[in-house]
Amino acid sequence: MNPILHKIVETKHEEVRLSRGKTLPPRVIPIRPWEPRLKTNSISVIAECKKGSPSSGILRPDYHPVEIASIYESAGAGAISVLTDSQYFFGSLNDLKSVAESVSIPVIRKDFIIDPVQIDEAYSYGASAILLIVRILSPRDLTSLLQHAKNLGLSILVETHNREEVKTALDAGATTIGINTRDLDTFEIHQNLIEDIAPELDDSIIRVAESGIKSYDDWQKYKGIVDSMLIGTYFMKSKDIKKDFQSLLSGN
């Protein structure tokens, strides 16, 4: 685990410690299953609300997640991902709550989840799904967190970066698997990773391409081998999100 990722995980342990015992607000919106929205006749889009990241800094100084989420929904996104990490990605649980209450499509809490209390927070603040990252979890913890989320009725995107991590995810019971082309140890993009791994997954698995997606060519390249693409930076750098959303899908 590289120093930045290690530091993020250490921060998460401290956040979990401070969160234990806190009373969470009651959930006010229904859970929206995302499987039908992700596995369609085409490639669906999980569009991301992300102000910045450790590798890129601030991506969108004028960041209004509810406004962005509304554009995503009107453009045809299958689901919306909201970064909730505050220290490294400049997000919050309130961003999650406000987005989940403003749209009618599933919203995923994207964070570095290491403990059930974070899943309880996701549920309470309106998420319909969570992200679990194989790289930062033991197989036992991954299985336990998957089950905890399922018990709450949440969907789970399990992020992987190589065949070994995909096997770990499948063994834990994952049914939606993200293949992240970005190596969390080096932050480098491995361009052909999706084409190498996704075709090996059974059709019953929802396959999600993550990171480095920024053109119609990427869309075409992944046709037939993934069900969905998670896209954040491309949209966050856009001056006209809806126009660039449609351009990504049509090439025009």
Side-chain angles (χ1 to χ4, degrees):
M1 194 182 296
N2 80 5
I4 295 175
L5 184 58
H6 180 72
K7 189 175 181 182
I8 291 173
V9 172
E10 280 191 333
T11 300
K12 293 300 143 183
H13 280 290
E14 178 61 16
E15 289 177 0
V16 166
R17 185 185 69 81
L18 294 173
S19 295
R20 292 192 190 283
K22 285 187 178 180
T23 301
L24 294 170
R27 186 183 180 101
V28 296
I29 64 169
I31 293 175
R32 300 182 175 105
W34 76 347
E35 286 81 359
R37 310 253 350 162
L38 298 195
K39 206 168 183 69
T40 64
N41 292 329
S42 183
I43 303 178
S44 62
V45 173
I46 305 172
E48 191 156 87
C49 295
K50 174 173 65 174
K51 184 175 183 177
S53 72
S55 59
S56 302
I58 298 294
L59 292 166
R60 199 173 188 88
D62 188 25
Y63 178 69
H64 303 288
V66 170
E67 179 182 314
I68 293 166
S70 176
I71 295 170
Y72 285 156
E73 183 173 28
S74 67
I80 295 173
S81 166
V82 178
L83 262 296
T84 59
D85 172 79
S86 59
Q87 187 164 333
Y88 304 96
F89 290 85
F90 317 103
S92 70
L93 282 168
N94 286 329
D95 288 347
L96 174 67
K97 186 173 188 290
S98 59
V99 168
E101 291 176 353
S102 69
V103 298
S104 59
I105 58 178
V107 176
I108 179 172
R109 179 185 187 183
K110 191 175 182 186
D111 209 316
F112 296 81
I113 292 177
I114 58 170
D115 190 275
V117 71
Q118 295 165 288
I119 300 175
D120 294 338
E121 290 171 344
Y123 175 86
S124 178
Y125 280 78
S128 292
I130 61 162
L131 174 76
L132 294 176
I133 304 171
V134 173
R135 181 67 56 91
I136 65 172
L137 297 168
S138 70
R140 180 177 178 180
D141 286 344
L142 175 63
T143 301
S144 176
L145 292 172
L146 264 166
Q147 191 57 54
H148 187 77
K150 287 178 181 178
N151 289 344
L152 291 173
L154 301 178
S155 299
I156 307 102
L157 170 61
V158 179
E159 180 178 299
T160 66
H161 180 68
N162 54 45
R163 285 180 175 82
E164 182 180 351
E165 290 182 357
V166 168
K167 183 179 185 307
T168 299
L170 292 171
D171 289 346
T175 56
T176 303
I177 292 182
I179 302 168
N180 192 349
T181 60
R182 187 181 301 281
D183 188 338
L184 293 181
D185 284 336
T186 64
F187 295 115
E188 294 179 358
I189 296 290
H190 293 192
Q191 294 288 352
N192 299 320
L193 195 67
I194 306 296
E195 298 96 310
D196 289 345
I197 295 178
E200 299 175 0
L201 293 171
D202 188 86
D203 283 344
S204 64
I205 300 296
I206 300 174
R207 300 155 295 179
V208 181
E210 299 182 50
S211 295
I213 299 161
K214 55 184 182 294
S215 71
Y216 177 70
D217 288 342
D218 294 324
W219 178 266
Q220 291 294 103
K221 181 172 64 174
Y222 294 151
K223 267 189 173 180
I225 62 172
V226 302
D227 302 294
S228 187
M229 303 193 301
L230 194 155
I231 306 171
T233 300
Y234 169 80
F235 292 139
M236 291 300 91
K237 290 183 175 180
S238 171
K239 293 181 180 179
D240 188 332
I241 293 175
K242 191 163 188 175
K243 179 182 177 182
D244 285 340
F245 192 111
Q246 299 301 335
S247 176
L248 184 78
L249 275 60
S250 67
N252 299 319

